[in-house]
Each structure stands twice: as structure tokens, then as C-alpha cells.
Amino acid sequence: MIKISLREGEEFIKLGQALKKAGLEESGVDAKMDIQDGLVKVNGEVDTRRGRKLYEGDVVEFRDEQVQITK
């Protein structure tokens, strides 16, 4: 599992940004396409909103990888 830390003072990170920060996507365009195609799950459910706000404890699944959001 890949862990992504929120920046100090931030409450959330957007889904597309999290995929890029985890190194699972090279660009925002790639992230947008994969999210809209239903290839990304948040907390076990498909989510097609790249602007979805992720908070501490949320888990993203993509390409057999899991990403957990931490503080």
C-alpha cells in the first residue's frame, strides 16, 4: 500500500492529484480519463469525479494498487 501524506494545514487532496502524487498517473489528463472511465475506486466504490475530496483514512484503488491518505 502506498501512503500519501496531506500537506500541513490541508484537510483533503483531490482524487486526480492523489493519483499523480502516488506516481500512478503521469498527468492530470491521464488521471481524468481513467477516473471518468470508472477505473478508480474510493473506499471500495467506483468514483468518477476527479475532484472528489479525499480525507485522512480514505483508500484509493487503481491498477491493483492501494493508496491510503494520511496526515
Side-chain angles (χ1 to χ4, degrees):
M1 178 177 287
I2 301 167
K3 296 194 183 224
I4 293 180
S5 297
L6 295 170
R7 292 184 196 161
E8 191 169 329
E10 286 189 343
E11 297 276 325
F12 64 87
I13 185 171
K14 292 184 180 178
L15 181 54
Q17 294 170 334
L19 292 175
K20 290 190 302 182
K21 189 171 182 179
L24 299 177
E25 293 285 15
E26 290 189 21
S27 73
V29 173
D30 291 338
K32 177 182 176 179
M33 298 301 286
D34 287 338
I35 293 166
Q36 287 180 338
D37 287 345
L39 302 177
V40 180
K41 290 183 179 180
V42 177
N43 299 325
E45 296 183 13
V46 172
D47 198 316
T48 57
R49 301 169 293 163
R50 76 173 171 159
R52 161 83 184 255
K53 293 178 181 178
L54 303 174
Y55 297 90
E56 181 180 11
D58 284 340
V59 176
V60 177
E61 296 174 51
F62 178 62
R63 294 187 183 154
D64 297 324
E65 293 279 357
Q66 289 188 332
V67 178
Q68 184 176 34
I69 309 303
T70 62
K71 278 268 184 184

